Amino acid sequence: MKSFAFITHPENSEQLRKIWPAAKFMPNFLIPQVLPLKIFPVKNVISAQGGQVHGVLVACPILASQFPQADHDFLARKVMAAAEIAKEAGARILGLGGCFSGLAEKGGDFKSALKTPVTTGDAFGAWSIFEAAYRIAKAKKLNLKKINLAVFGAASAIGFLCAQKIAAHVAKIILVDANQASLEKLKDKILDFNQVEVEIELDGNRAAQESDIIIIADDPERMAISPQEFKPGSIVCCLSLYATADFKAGIGSSITFVEAGLVKLFCAADFGVAGVWPQDLVSASFAETMLLAFENRFVYYSRGQNTSLDKLEEIADIATRHGFEVWVPEAPVV
């Protein structure tokens, strides 16, 4: 009996070819249409409290760069197929990893179609970025109440939640995205509970030039972010999914770059295949799925922008209880 299932996709072409060796003989555009989902058993996920959960990892042969052009119905069918696999394995919750989590924001509410509860991981994803930015700032002895912080991709679910959480700690928060209506909604939410200066900015480069800390919660390419525009000496916390080698290569040496959204497990786990995924370091969305399984919380948990801030605090407490640590090697927990 498996307690959870998690659907994800390879982070890069090298990982894709390790999972599907036949991919090296195919053009990229054909790979998602031809190659099947791969299923791996997940074993030995252990809690600091001594409990253990098992699950299945469902890998889909599509790269993050291909998601913007992919047909929504095609991606939804992949999730439905993963849900069937989860059901057959006895899983009681399905986590959406990587770019699949964004389907819930784009009309992908699977509640009516799936019998297995779904979580997008947005709650722990937002918390992990907040904690990364907060710990790095403290390690550098920055007075957060005197700095400007920009959230790129603030209209995405993770950006939307993270901005609300971190707004209480800074002097000024700049919300950057193309979806102005969502930014106006977010601004109102922030001002309902915080005395902070909030600015909406559609020009990402301008925001980058005046920000001491930059949080990147969505694809930098989609938002046309130029790393050359980052303020010298600033801190850039980028969600791991979007921290590509090409993006990092353009960042100046004076910038502190942090790959956020990663969680260190209490013990190394077995993901059913060697050399593809680190055994003790997973995405926050994967960690959230495991944590809910530990807690027997087989419910729709993270639901995009509708996820409450209380859930960020709750999943952080659950993670501490089970020994899961937000991974920020540049500012380790003391």
Side-chain angles (χ1 to χ4, degrees):
M1 178 70 73
K2 311 298 183 184
S3 56
F4 69 85
F6 186 74
I7 181 171
T8 188
H9 55 82
E11 296 178 8
N12 49 54
S13 296
E14 180 182 359
Q15 196 178 75
L16 180 125
R17 288 190 291 269
K18 283 183 178 179
I19 301 172
W20 294 271
K24 67 181 68 174
F25 305 110
M26 298 181 183
N28 280 348
F29 77 90
L30 194 59
I31 288 171
Q33 307 290 337
V34 173
L35 295 179
L37 297 173
K38 281 284 188 79
I39 307 157
F40 302 99
V42 180
K43 302 176 182 177
N44 301 326
V45 181
I46 299 171
S47 163
Q49 297 185 332
Q52 188 170 162
V53 293
H54 302 288
V56 290
L57 185 60
V58 184
C60 180
I62 181 170
L63 297 170
S65 59
Q66 295 175 305
F67 270 77
Q69 291 78 39
D71 178 71
H72 179 276
D73 290 340
F74 170 79
L75 296 175
R77 287 196 297 273
K78 294 297 183 183
V79 173
M80 297 292 286
E84 285 299 315
I85 292 167
K87 181 180 176 182
E88 291 173 7
R92 299 178 65 188
I93 190 167
L94 172 66
L96 305 184
C99 295
F100 281 109
S101 63
L103 289 180
E105 300 174 59
K106 301 171 182 176
D109 187 349
F110 303 103
K111 187 171 184 178
S112 60
L114 302 181
K115 294 181 180 179
T116 305
V118 172
T119 189
T120 63
D122 293 330
F124 204 20
W127 175 268
S128 66
I129 298 179
F130 160 75
E131 185 167 330
Y134 187 86
R135 278 165 48 185
I136 286 288
K138 289 297 184 182
K140 289 182 169 291
K141 295 181 168 52
L142 293 180
N143 184 345
L144 289 170
K145 281 297 185 180
K146 293 184 177 179
I147 70 163
N148 297 340
L149 179 143
V151 179
F152 285 78
S156 70
I158 287 179
F160 197 88
L161 294 166
C162 188
Q164 291 176 70
K165 176 61 185 174
I166 207 163
H169 299 273
V170 298
K172 177 180 178 180
I173 186 165
I174 305 171
L175 310 176
V176 187
D177 209 299
N179 188 336
Q180 189 162 1
S182 282
L183 296 186
E184 294 287 356
K185 176 183 174 183
L186 175 56
K187 180 178 179 178
D188 290 343
K189 277 182 170 287
I190 290 172
L191 292 177
D192 279 345
F193 299 99
N194 303 280
Q195 291 185 334
V196 61
E197 184 180 353
V198 183
E199 178 181 319
I200 290 175
E201 180 59 76
L202 303 182
D203 184 338
N205 288 333
R206 185 181 302 166
Q209 290 164 4
E210 62 175 284
S211 298
D212 304 289
I213 298 179
I214 293 166
I215 289 174
I216 300 175
D218 205 342
D219 187 353
E221 186 173 335
R222 185 182 71 80
M223 292 176 291
I225 299 174
S226 173
Q228 290 76 27
E229 300 297 332
F230 293 147
K231 183 179 178 180
S234 60
I235 298 168
V236 176
C237 293
C238 182
L239 194 63
S240 175
L241 174 64
Y242 304 115
T244 64
D246 288 344
F247 181 70
K248 290 187 284 189
I251 295 175
S253 58
S254 74
I255 308 299
T256 299
F257 182 83
V258 182
E259 191 171 339
L262 296 173
V263 176
K264 192 172 182 64
L265 303 179
F266 178 67
C267 291
D270 180 358
F271 295 127
V273 58
V276 176
W277 295 284
Q279 292 182 303
D280 62 348
L281 201 63
V282 300
S283 68
S285 55
F286 197 179
E288 178 174 297
T289 309
M290 296 173 178
L291 290 167
L292 293 173
F294 274 124
E295 294 287 300
N296 290 316
R297 294 283 298 277
F298 302 118
V299 297
Y300 286 82
Y301 195 78
S302 289
R303 300 291 300 278
Q305 291 184 357
N306 294 323
T307 306
S308 70
L309 286 179
D310 288 344
K311 285 190 174 178
L312 272 70
E313 306 286 349
E314 181 183 50
I315 199 69
D317 289 343
I318 292 172
T320 300
R321 190 156 63 241
H322 292 286
F324 284 38
E325 177 192 337
V326 173
W327 183 239
V328 190
E330 299 85 354
V333 175
V334 178

